[in-house]
Amino acid sequence: MFKKTKLNRIAIAVAMSVGMSSAAMAQVTSSGMSGQIVGPNGNPAAGTEVKVTHVPTGSVKTVLVNSAGTFNLRGLRVGGPYIIELDSDTFADQTISDIYLELGDTYSLNRALESEVNIERISVTASQISSAAFGQIGPSASFDLSTLENAPAINRDLTDIIRIDPRVYVDEGGNGGIQCAGKSPRFNSLTVDGVRMNDLFGLNSNGYPTERMPFSYDAIESVAVEIAPFDVIYGGFSACNISAVSKTGTNEVHGSFFADYGSDELRGDSLEGEGVSLGNYSERRYGFTVGAPLIKDKLFIFASYEKLEGANLFDRGASDSDAVVKVAATQDELDQIVSIANSLYNYDPGSIPSSLENEDEKLLIKLDWNISEKHRASFTYNYNDGNNFTESDGDSDEFEFSNHLYERGAELESFVGSFYSDWSDKFSTEIRLSRTELDNRQNSVGGDGTPGGNDFGEIRIQTENGVDVYIGSDDSRQANDLDWTANSIMLRGNYYADNGHTFTFGYEQDKLDIFNLFVQHTETEIRFYNQYDNDGVLISSGIDQFEAGLADAIYYNYAIDGELDHAAADWSYATHSLYAQDEFYLTDDLTIVAGLRYDWITSSDKPAENSDFVADYGFSNSANLDGVGLFQPRVGFNYTLSATTELRGGLGLFSGGNPNVWMSNNYSNTNTTQVGARGRDHGYTDGSRSLFDDDIVWVNTEEGVTAGPGYSIPSELDADVDAGEGSNFELNYLDPGFDMPSEWKLSAGLTHETAAEYIFNADLLVTFTQNQAMTFAGQLEEDGVNDEGYVNYSDSKMDTFVLTNSDETSVSYSLTGTVEKSWESGVRLFAGYTYNHAEDTQPMTSSVAFSNYQYRAFTNPNEDVSSLSDWNIAHRFTADLSYTVELFDGLNTRFNLYAVAQSGSPYSLTRDDGNSIFGFAPYIDSNSVLPIGGERNGEEAPWWSKVDIAVRQDVPAFAEGHTASVSFVIDNFTNMLNDDWGILEETNSTVTVGTPSPAFIDGDASLWEARIGFDYKF
């Protein structure tokens, strides 16, 4: 019984400890509490009343200890403080105060009651409890409100917080994608108040459905990251699950206001001794929160609003400019292109971009209702609308003028209602209904923002040094529109048996409706390349060809029936989940969690059948995901080895997070709804015709402009499309035998607390990824090997890309160690290190099948080989240090520091003649093919290290009980100290063998940036 447990050995006057915390809940919104209550001799204190009061709202829950001496409560609010009262008719009553609950954790309270003749009542506080670091099952991290408020979170984003864990890498040099243990951000899950807020379509690299975090930073009470939870209620991810819960109103009116400011004057202007130009910009953010009782102890409201008025910065320029990133094109060449575009094409490409204004607006409103002691309900509304301006073609050998940039934006609304009920001391339930609506936009800067609207087509001009310069509207944004709606239901129950077993069971359904219009080249794309003689001598540059109108390629696509919307992928599917689990103490020191989850997909929408495909392949391209399912067994344990040491671990199968954009390609690219025509058949690309020849008839001319290239379509190409003829894109289809990708996670860990209260954690995670999604060229058949050892191909079928499963099992592993300590002086330290080795068979970095297929390194384009993941960061050290002191009487000064040192991203060394190697294959990018014996991602970019700091000084407030502070946050403080420090050097994922300097500086991540702010709480 409880008296004999190792945890009980450290009891002095009161036998009290923090024991097992069950795995955090999937789509988590609440916390729980459980434990053992025994008498002085270790016998169950059956009938003892456990009364739990949430002080801020006055809500109360009570439960009786059962005959096994255990109790269990679920659906408790995150945070606190809580007061726990133990009322016994036999033993002395006890009260525990200042209890705070973490998101998703089940707080374990194990108490030995004293005889009433010795003492009437015992009162203790949470500070007398052993460390709450104990009780995990799988590798995870949780961050409380204090961390959220004080960390140097210059972006006001959860990524500023969760990066503290060394297993979680945030791509600060890109779009902020979250890479957990070396896995793609597409396989994460993010939930807020139970609603999935991750990118359900899979279009964004940051993992959000919107351009930034889709909810207000100040609305969040707590956040947790689970790498390998073994509770069956987890689903919808295979990398990591990130859960956040919003704040709530209380019986006291409370709120806050913040504002901060940043500008080019608060940012570095030199790197490695060279001045850099960023352009003029300023950014302002401001917002407020308010919580209040509508009916005391019963009904509460909380609201949060946040607004950003910011700017996107662009750091690319000519080779002879002072830009951070210089491309191998001179300013004279760029000026020449602008002059030709204006004088001959009647089009202004815009300027060399430096900064463009953007905005972001967030609103969250939450209602909490204490219906009774047994029932509680909540409703949350969340809104976000924001945009960014971004490059489409930003490789080291590419350059874009401002009108080729495009706006990325999204408007999101979500609604969620939750209902928590304790029907008896043994049975509780949770019901959740939610709906999320997203309207995504991707509009060229030079266009009018409507699919197929008044845009100038894309033109690509090659300079003498091989730089592709782009003007006009990006080809992928000429007809691009995405909308989706997600509806979810969750029904979950918990039954607490008298023998100490806790049974969890439930059903969930997530239904996604998608409308995705993606038709490239609706305004044409025209290419002008350098011309060489047989000896490889340049005879005419792409700029000369552009001036003469001698195109090397011209592309035009449109809907076959003339209605662009009819070329959209309009489809839906539903994911269903059933699960059951038992959590119990196998011995007094060993807790077991074991269960089974089953996920399956239903869908009645099928891709349109292509009769030519059926004739060539012998089966239909109309396969969908209907009926695909997966059983996911899981088991985890926590074992108390001694009073200061515990072991944990588990094994489980996980699936989810696969981006739907890959599946959507199979609905869009059936070659039955859109067709593409190419200029090769009409003399445009053999030097016999110029785009300025009088015999060319231009049609479909945009309003208010002169007919001609860019604004119009050559009549021959338009006729081909109207007739449904042309050289179309490769048809995309789903392998009819497609299985649900999954990942086995095997975990072992240890927590140890020293006599000096240092807490050490160590975790080993090994994963086995199977049935990975990947893209093959479906028509290719191997036809021998050439003299160099590369596979030759033959092809007798129509060109296709198939979304299928890998036959390889990729094995990945990570080893993490952390230490944390708090001192009475006000210093707190967390430090950690992770070694990571993650593998996959294809990185699948794109949303388009063609790009997934070719933009990777390989020896054989249809190979199925496990290699180091594009997302792997081998070594990562992190530290989070805080110090609070009263430099002024009654006013706190808080210093916070975040530091990171990590190895670089992997990249591959490839050949520069990929197009000429294979006997027959779809177009292969010349920088994709490995030398024979080469290894994908066998190289590594340079290490990166930096320090961020935040200083917050309390200042006198306007009223008693209020607090005010001013803040100064510096991102990359190391670079502020010395412009040679804190520099992030990156590489492209593939680099040609022999490239002398493959690494380039990421200016945005390397330059220091500061923000000044003000915060007021009442």
Side-chain angles (χ1 to χ4, degrees):
M1 296 303 298
F2 173 69
K3 184 178 179 182
K4 299 178 182 179
T5 65
K6 296 182 180 71
L7 285 176
N8 193 42
R9 295 172 190 168
I10 63 172
I12 300 176
V14 179
M16 181 176 188
S17 64
V18 175
M20 180 62 206
S21 295
S22 69
M25 298 168 65
Q27 295 78 57
V28 69
T29 63
S30 62
S31 300
M33 187 178 297
S34 65
Q36 285 184 307
I37 309 298
V38 298
N41 298 318
N43 54 303
T48 299
E49 182 183 81
V50 181
K51 180 180 179 181
V52 178
T53 303
H54 183 247
V55 176
T57 62
S59 61
V60 175
K61 279 195 173 188
T62 60
V63 64
L64 296 179
V65 174
N66 61 27
S67 59
T70 64
F71 74 96
N72 216 314
L73 287 168
R74 297 292 173 97
L76 299 176
R77 289 183 172 89
V78 175
Y82 279 90
I83 294 176
I84 304 170
E85 298 173 85
L86 305 179
D87 186 358
S88 171
D89 294 335
T90 306
F91 307 109
D93 297 339
Q94 296 186 10
T95 300
I96 307 100
S97 59
D98 293 329
I99 297 289
Y100 287 82
L101 305 184
E102 293 187 356
L103 176 61
D105 280 351
T106 297
Y107 185 94
S108 189
L109 179 70
N110 299 319
R111 296 285 296 190
L113 303 182
E114 295 293 323
S115 172
E116 196 169 24
V117 298
N118 297 329
I119 190 170
E120 293 184 0
R121 176 176 290 274
I122 295 176
S123 297
V124 297
T125 65
S127 61
Q128 297 171 270
I129 300 175
S130 298
S131 170
F134 290 91
Q136 299 180 28
I137 287 183
S140 64
S142 60
F143 305 93
D144 59 13
L145 184 60
S146 176
T147 304
L148 288 164
E149 289 180 339
N150 295 306
I154 197 166
N155 302 302
R156 293 182 56 83
D157 193 293
L158 294 184
T159 56
D160 292 321
I161 305 301
I162 62 177
R163 64 178 180 165
I164 295 171
D165 190 302
R167 292 164 294 210
V168 181
Y169 168 57
V170 176
D171 183 11
E172 297 186 51
N175 291 317
I178 301 168
Q179 300 166 205
C180 296
K183 301 304 174 71
S184 168
R186 297 178 187 267
F187 299 107
N188 299 333
S189 178
L190 169 68
T191 60
V192 180
D193 287 347
V195 176
R196 294 187 189 276
M197 287 289 184
N198 50 305
D199 182 13
L200 296 180
F201 188 67
L203 198 62
N204 296 341
S205 59
N206 64 5
Y208 295 138
T210 48
E211 287 304 290
R212 299 166 188 82
M213 188 172 72
F215 43 90
S216 171
Y217 187 79
D218 284 342
I220 301 305
E221 175 79 25
S222 178
V223 61
V225 180
E226 296 284 350
I227 308 291
F230 298 106
D231 196 313
V232 296
I233 56 180
Y234 273 98
F237 76 97
S238 56
C240 68
N241 185 79
I242 305 163
S243 297
V245 66
S246 60
K247 296 174 182 176
T248 184
T250 68
N251 276 325
E252 301 292 332
V253 177
H254 62 87
S256 66
F257 168 80
F258 92 93
D260 69 7
Y261 174 80
S263 74
D264 58 290
E265 295 181 350
L266 293 172
R267 192 176 178 90
D269 58 6
S270 66
L271 290 171
E272 297 180 330
E274 293 188 14
V276 295
S277 176
L278 293 175
N280 298 325
Y281 76 94
S282 62
E283 288 195 344
R284 297 172 178 83
R285 291 183 301 205
Y286 51 89
F288 69 86
T289 69
V290 62
L294 299 178
I295 303 175
K296 187 177 181 180
D297 292 338
K298 280 290 185 182
L299 186 62
F300 310 91
I301 187 172
F302 174 83
S304 178
Y305 174 82
E306 185 172 327
K307 179 72 178 288
L308 163 70
E309 298 171 353
N312 290 119
L313 304 181
F314 304 94
D315 56 7
R316 298 162 60 78
S319 59
D320 49 351
S321 71
D322 59 356
V324 177
V325 179
K326 300 177 178 64
V327 298
T330 67
Q331 188 63 52
D332 285 344
E333 287 177 315
L334 298 180
D335 291 342
Q336 188 179 0
I337 289 172
V338 172
S339 176
I340 294 169
N342 277 281
S343 61
L344 297 181
Y345 291 80
N346 299 311
Y347 177 72
D348 182 1
S351 61
I352 295 176
S354 59
S355 66
L356 289 172
E357 294 182 354
N358 59 38
E359 289 189 347
D360 194 82
E361 194 170 25
K362 315 175 198 291
L363 173 66
L364 182 143
I365 300 173
K366 184 176 183 181
L367 295 172
D368 281 274
W369 182 21
N370 293 335
I371 302 171
S372 68
E373 186 176 316
K374 297 294 185 181
H375 302 283
R376 178 171 71 88
S378 68
F379 173 79
T380 305
Y381 169 77
N382 191 75
Y383 172 84
N384 177 221
D385 188 9
N387 73 333
N388 275 311
F389 292 95
T390 188
E391 297 170 332
S392 175
D393 299 285
D395 289 344
S396 58
D397 59 351
E398 296 176 320
F399 183 80
E400 300 171 273
F401 284 95
S402 58
N403 281 348
H404 192 263
L405 303 176
Y406 68 97
E407 179 202 16
R408 294 172 54 97
E411 183 179 24
L412 176 142
E413 285 188 293
S414 72
F415 313 80
V416 55
S418 299
F419 184 61
Y420 307 88
S421 295
D422 296 320
W423 302 101
S424 70
D425 289 347
K426 295 183 177 181
F427 181 54
S428 65
T429 60
E430 181 178 352
I431 299 172
R432 186 178 306 120
L433 302 174
S434 68
R435 179 179 176 87
T436 303
E437 301 172 354
L438 183 99
D439 182 3
N440 180 277
R441 56 189 182 272
Q442 295 199 28
N443 305 323
S444 289
V445 169
D448 65 359
T450 60
N454 187 26
D455 293 356
F456 184 86
E458 177 180 277
I459 296 182
R460 182 193 301 191
I461 307 115
Q462 192 174 49
T463 68
E464 289 189 15
N465 286 331
V467 173
D468 288 329
V469 178
Y470 293 83
I471 67 172
S473 298
D474 175 58
D475 61 335
S476 293
R477 277 83 205 175
Q478 293 174 10
N480 194 326
D481 187 30
L482 169 67
D483 304 285
W484 56 257
T485 301
N487 293 291
S488 300
I489 181 173
M490 187 274 286
L491 308 172
R492 184 179 300 156
N494 297 283
Y495 181 78
Y496 320 113
D498 287 339
N499 59 7
H501 288 251
T502 297
F503 298 99
T504 300
F505 44 88
Y507 168 77
E508 299 181 23
Q509 181 191 104
D510 296 296
K511 187 175 186 298
L512 186 65
D513 292 280
I514 298 169
F515 175 87
N516 180 39
L517 173 66
F518 181 69
V519 183
Q520 294 176 303
H521 309 139
T522 58
E523 308 290 339
T524 70
E525 178 193 353
I526 307 173
R527 300 180 184 181
F528 298 94
Y529 294 142
N530 294 333
Q531 306 298 309
Y532 301 89
D533 63 18
N534 293 333
D535 295 324
V537 176
L538 180 70
I539 57 176
S540 179
S541 73
I543 298 177
D544 295 332
Q545 298 292 102
F546 177 49
E547 187 171 23
L550 298 174
D552 287 89
I554 180 167
Y555 302 87
Y556 174 58
N557 284 59
Y558 215 78
I560 292 176
D561 65 0
E563 295 292 333
L564 270 178
D565 281 358
H566 294 175
D570 192 356
W571 62 292
S572 67
Y573 78 99
T575 300
H576 309 261
S577 302
L578 277 174
Y579 48 80
Q581 176 177 280
D582 184 13
E583 180 181 350
F584 59 95
Y585 286 89
L586 187 63
T587 70
D588 288 338
D589 301 315
L590 178 61
T591 301
I592 301 293
V593 176
L596 180 66
R597 179 186 181 98
Y598 179 62
D599 293 345
W600 75 99
I601 295 173
T602 58
S603 178
S604 59
D605 294 327
K606 295 184 177 183
E609 185 173 89
N610 185 304
S611 58
D612 292 335
F613 175 91
V614 176
D616 270 2
Y617 285 80
F619 57 89
S620 177
N621 63 292
S622 61
N624 64 7
L625 294 171
D626 188 52
V628 176
L630 182 70
F631 283 100
Q632 299 161 66
R634 298 174 192 173
V635 60
F637 74 91
N638 182 286
Y639 178 66
T640 304
L641 185 65
S642 70
T644 57
T645 307
E646 70 176 20
L647 306 176
R648 59 181 171 271
L651 174 66
L653 189 63
F654 295 80
S655 181
N658 297 322
N660 292 293
V661 64
W662 297 339
M663 184 62 198
S664 191
N665 290 326
N666 303 324
Y667 288 85
S668 298
N669 299 328
T670 62
N671 291 351
T672 61
T673 58
Q674 63 169 294
V675 68
R678 305 294 178 260
R680 298 182 182 90
D681 299 328
H682 304 289
Y684 297 106
T685 62
D686 59 6
S688 63
R689 301 183 77 181
S690 166
L691 296 176
F692 304 124
D693 286 349
D694 293 336
D695 66 328
I696 297 178
V697 178
W698 296 98
V699 298
N700 301 343
T701 302
E702 304 286 3
E703 294 182 6
V705 296
T706 303
Y711 290 119
S712 313
I713 312 299
S715 59
E716 301 101 320
L717 272 64
D718 184 60
D720 286 348
V721 168
D722 287 345
E725 300 174 354
S727 176
N728 218 336
F729 289 123
E730 293 84 359
L731 179 144
N732 296 175
Y733 71 97
L734 178 70
D735 184 342
F738 187 82
D739 291 320
M740 189 178 290
S742 60
E743 182 167 287
W744 284 100
K745 293 177 182 281
L746 175 64
S747 166
L750 174 147
T751 297
H752 174 71
E753 184 174 8
T754 69
E757 296 184 337
Y758 285 89
I759 301 169
F760 292 91
N761 279 281
D763 281 290
L764 172 66
L765 175 67
V766 183
T767 65
F768 305 87
T769 310
Q770 56 193 19
N771 294 322
Q772 299 170 68
M774 62 189 309
T775 300
F776 281 163
Q779 79 279 9
L780 296 186
E781 295 181 4
E782 294 189 9
D783 188 16
V785 178
N786 66 20
D787 292 339
E788 292 188 80
Y790 291 98
V791 174
N792 282 331
Y793 286 106
S794 62
D795 174 17
S796 59
K797 303 174 183 176
M798 69 184 304
D799 291 346
T800 63
F801 288 123
V802 53
L803 180 63
T804 186
N805 298 111
S806 168
D807 293 328
E808 288 286 306
T809 296
S810 293
V811 181
S812 308
Y813 51 90
S814 68
L815 180 63
T816 301
T818 65
V819 59
E820 53 186 302
K821 163 73 173 174
S822 295
W823 289 267
E824 292 183 0
S825 62
V827 176
R828 183 187 62 80
L829 170 69
F830 172 90
Y833 164 76
T834 289
Y835 172 74
N836 203 71
H837 179 92
E839 294 191 1
D840 55 31
T841 53
Q842 279 191 6
M844 302 287 282
T845 57
S846 178
S847 57
V848 179
F850 169 73
S851 298
N852 279 329
Y853 182 73
Q854 75 155 345
Y855 292 130
R856 56 191 171 90
F858 51 78
T859 305
N860 176 345
N862 264 17
E863 69 187 12
D864 186 3
V865 177
S866 184
S867 305
L868 192 67
S869 168
D870 282 21
W871 319 101
N872 189 71
I873 300 295
H875 304 278
R876 191 159 189 269
F877 297 87
T878 61
D880 181 49
L881 179 67
S882 64
Y883 175 52
T884 302
V885 63
E886 281 192 19
L887 296 179
F888 306 97
D889 187 32
L891 298 173
N892 283 332
T893 305
R894 297 182 297 279
F895 300 93
N896 286 78
L897 175 150
Y898 164 78
V900 62
Q902 65 185 42
S903 55
S905 299
Y907 67 94
S908 307
L909 290 178
T910 58
R911 299 174 54 151
D912 63 355
D913 56 352
N915 288 330
S916 63
I917 291 175
F918 299 97
F920 186 88
Y923 173 77
I924 298 299
D925 186 85
S926 60
N927 198 26
S928 295
V929 182
L930 292 165
I932 294 296
E935 180 183 0
R936 178 165 74 95
N937 288 332
E939 307 297 320
E940 187 177 88
W943 276 63
W944 183 44
S945 60
K946 71 159 185 169
V947 172
D948 301 340
I949 63 170
V951 181
R952 292 177 170 84
Q953 175 62 58
D954 287 353
V955 296
F958 297 125
E960 185 177 353
H962 295 197
T963 62
S965 65
V966 292
S967 63
F968 189 58
V969 181
I970 304 175
D971 181 78
N972 207 341
F973 179 62
T974 33
N975 182 252
M976 173 182 273
L977 296 177
N978 188 321
D979 70 0
D980 288 329
W981 297 349
I983 293 178
L984 175 61
E985 294 182 273
E986 297 188 303
T987 65
N988 294 324
S989 60
T990 57
V991 174
T992 302
V993 174
T995 301
S997 301
F1000 56 86
I1001 294 176
D1002 185 293
D1004 187 52
S1006 300
L1007 289 167
W1008 67 266
E1009 178 183 6
R1011 286 186 182 272
I1012 56 175
F1014 175 75
D1015 185 87
Y1016 193 91
K1017 295 183 176 66
F1018 61 90

